[in-house]
Amino acid sequence: MDFFTLVQTRRTVRAFRPDSPPREAIEQIIAAASWAPSPHGRQPWRFVVVEAPERKLALANAMAEAWRYHLALDGLDPSTIEYRLCRSRERVVTAPVIIIPCLYLNDLDRYPDPERQAAETTMAIQSLGCAVQNMLLAAFALDLAAGWMCAPLFAPAAARAALGLAEDLHPHALIPIGYLAQEPKRRPRRPLSDLIVQWQ
């Protein structure tokens, strides 16, 4: 598959078959992430692989409590909240493998002024996004299905506690990986005329 076909046909999958991908494929996906660009080559990311059903359930339940609180703040009624939580929990517990990309800031350059330090952190977060994109493309190239869930970003303490992670690991996403069970609906992309705001 050529690169542009790979980019344009990759999709976010929410339904997986129960069979697990081989460990070698998961390692290839994480290896692809390691080649992402990063500030000063520091690779400010670490990855947690979750396969055990009890760990997936603990993670889903921990994040659900935080999300229930946030959805209530949004003014949603209890039945809508429970419906959305049930669907989200199902995505987590039924995915054969989950990779949690974590931001890891310990190796970044240190500056005496807060402005540059904040920029350094922003670069690390951007780099983590690049690493995740590499993972998604690698999974698709290996004939696997994957998605990108942001739940840990909104409940990092809950995700950290559920998985027993160190305090210097900051969970930013949840990437379910497996074999496609149902083709997702693809959303249209904006035309280039909307995206390019200046060219001179």
Side-chain angles (χ1 to χ4, degrees):
M1 188 182 302
D2 72 90
F3 176 75
F4 289 100
T5 300
L6 181 67
V7 169
Q8 293 169 14
T9 55
R10 183 207 64 80
R11 66 271 200 240
T12 295
V13 174
R14 291 177 172 82
F16 300 90
R17 301 198 323 246
D19 42 324
S20 292
R23 181 187 177 103
E24 295 76 17
I26 301 303
E27 290 176 345
Q28 279 184 278
I29 290 168
I30 295 173
S34 76
W35 289 101
S38 64
H40 322 297
R42 299 298 170 82
Q43 302 177 51
W45 358 269
R46 300 294 184 269
F47 304 95
V48 177
V49 181
V50 183
E51 281 189 297
E54 63 274 12
R55 281 173 60 81
K56 288 187 280 188
L57 182 60
L59 177 63
N61 288 339
M63 292 188 303
E65 288 307 309
W67 201 23
R68 179 179 284 110
Y69 171 74
H70 291 141
L71 292 174
L73 285 179
D74 294 341
L76 297 180
D77 63 88
S79 62
T80 301
I81 290 174
E82 291 309 313
Y83 172 75
R84 293 184 65 178
L85 288 177
C86 182
R87 290 195 62 188
S88 180
R89 184 185 287 112
E90 183 181 5
R91 286 180 65 190
V92 175
V93 300
T94 60
V97 177
I98 292 171
I99 300 176
I100 311 289
C102 299
L103 189 67
Y104 182 75
L105 302 173
N106 292 10
D107 297 334
L108 294 184
D109 285 4
R110 301 294 168 193
Y111 299 100
D113 54 296
E115 292 80 12
R116 283 188 295 167
Q117 201 61 57
E120 187 82 358
T121 299
T122 299
M123 284 195 298
I125 295 169
Q126 292 172 342
S127 173
L128 180 64
C130 294
V132 170
Q133 174 73 338
N134 277 11
M135 291 169 58
L136 296 173
L137 293 174
F140 191 52
L142 292 169
D143 291 323
L144 294 172
W148 187 338
M149 299 176 69
C150 62
L153 189 60
F154 292 91
R160 190 182 292 115
L163 297 175
L165 303 182
E167 287 296 317
D168 56 6
L169 293 175
H170 307 281
H172 268 237
L174 187 156
I175 313 297
I177 297 176
Y179 294 100
L180 181 70
Q182 180 181 338
E183 192 69 41
K185 183 182 294 185
R186 294 180 61 86
R187 295 182 180 179
R189 300 299 176 180
R190 294 181 183 274
L192 288 182
S193 58
D194 287 355
L195 300 178
I196 301 173
V197 296
Q198 190 176 97
W199 188 331
Q200 60 184 18

